[in-house]
Amino acid sequence: DSGVTQTPKHLITATGQRVTLRCSPRSGDLSVYWYQQSLDQGLQFLIQYYNGEERAKGNILERFSAQQFPDLHSELNLSSLELGDSALYFCASSPRGGPNTEAFFGQGTRLTVV
Amino acid sequence: DAKTTQPNSMESNEEEPVHLPCNHSTISGTDYIHWYRQLPSQGPEYVIHGLTSNVNNRMASLAIAEDRKSSTLILHRATLRDAAVYYCILRNRDDKIIFGKGTRLHILP
């Protein structure tokens, strides 16, 4: 158990809908990362937050947004969902920012868009 | 982002050491070398990281070439539970963790 909790574990929704994925980082971890993993794309970095502020942005679509709250949990909002958004979404946390630290991943949320 | 090159797949026998290579010829002086692995149906798992010196932990060892253009992840005694995709990643100050395709490691009983 990495200590990172993602909810829900599974989500099935229809095209055009909006969903929110939640990530609770390990206690005290300031940095949160979001990833999308689909069969044909591998693990794609979406966005990173550090202590409530956006720190790095990857291949995140405009239909997607995220935030990190004062209690350090994070939410990833996906809107106007398309079939191609079906994927595993992972959240990771690390104690601090920077390259000299490890990240701990949750078990993911499996999103199916029908 | 500096790139890494890994073999697509490797096989090893159970209870034998495994050496997973990674080339990173464009590495910069401030890039850290990280290894993660992803077991089937699980999230990625941190394995080890280092900057210049070789590193050991309870999971593995990381051997870094003197010129830092390559590194090797060493699993000292592979078990069936080590079958996974192993990712070699360079991280620098921009703090992203960018995954490539990794090496799929098969362990033969």
Side-chain angles (χ1 to χ4, degrees), chain B residues 1-5 22-27 90 98:
Chain B
D1 298 318
K3 299 287 187 231
T4 63
T5 304
C22 180
N23 287 320
H24 28 79
S25 58
T26 59
I27 191 170
L90 300 182
I98 304 298

Side-chain angles (χ1 to χ4, degrees), chain B residues 89-109:
Chain B
I89 297 165
L90 300 182
R91 293 189 63 192
N92 58 30
R93 288 194 201 97
D94 74 7
D95 215 6
K96 299 177 188 176
I97 308 174
I98 304 298
F99 289 81
K101 295 192 184 308
T103 296
R104 185 172 296 277
L105 177 64
H106 302 274
I107 305 296
L108 306 175

Side-chain angles (χ1 to χ4, degrees), chain A residues 64-83:
Chain A
F64 296 1
S65 64
Q67 55 183 335
Q68 186 180 26
F69 294 86
D71 67 353
L72 300 177
H73 91 271
S74 179
E75 292 181 356
L76 179 66
N77 300 296
L78 315 176
S79 61
S80 303
L81 284 167
E82 302 174 359
L83 296 177

Side-chain angles (χ1 to χ4, degrees), chain B residues 6-48:
Chain B
Q6 299 178 252
N8 290 333
S9 67
M10 289 183 62
E11 270 185 4
S12 183
N13 294 319
E14 197 177 9
E15 299 186 7
E16 290 187 357
V18 181
H19 291 237
L20 293 158
C22 180
N23 287 320
H24 28 79
S25 58
T26 59
I27 191 170
S28 74
T30 54
D31 285 338
Y32 282 78
I33 302 160
H34 284 246
W35 284 82
Y36 284 78
R37 71 181 185 179
Q38 188 172 21
L39 280 65
S41 305
Q42 295 192 26
E45 176 185 29
Y46 167 80
V47 178
I48 201 166

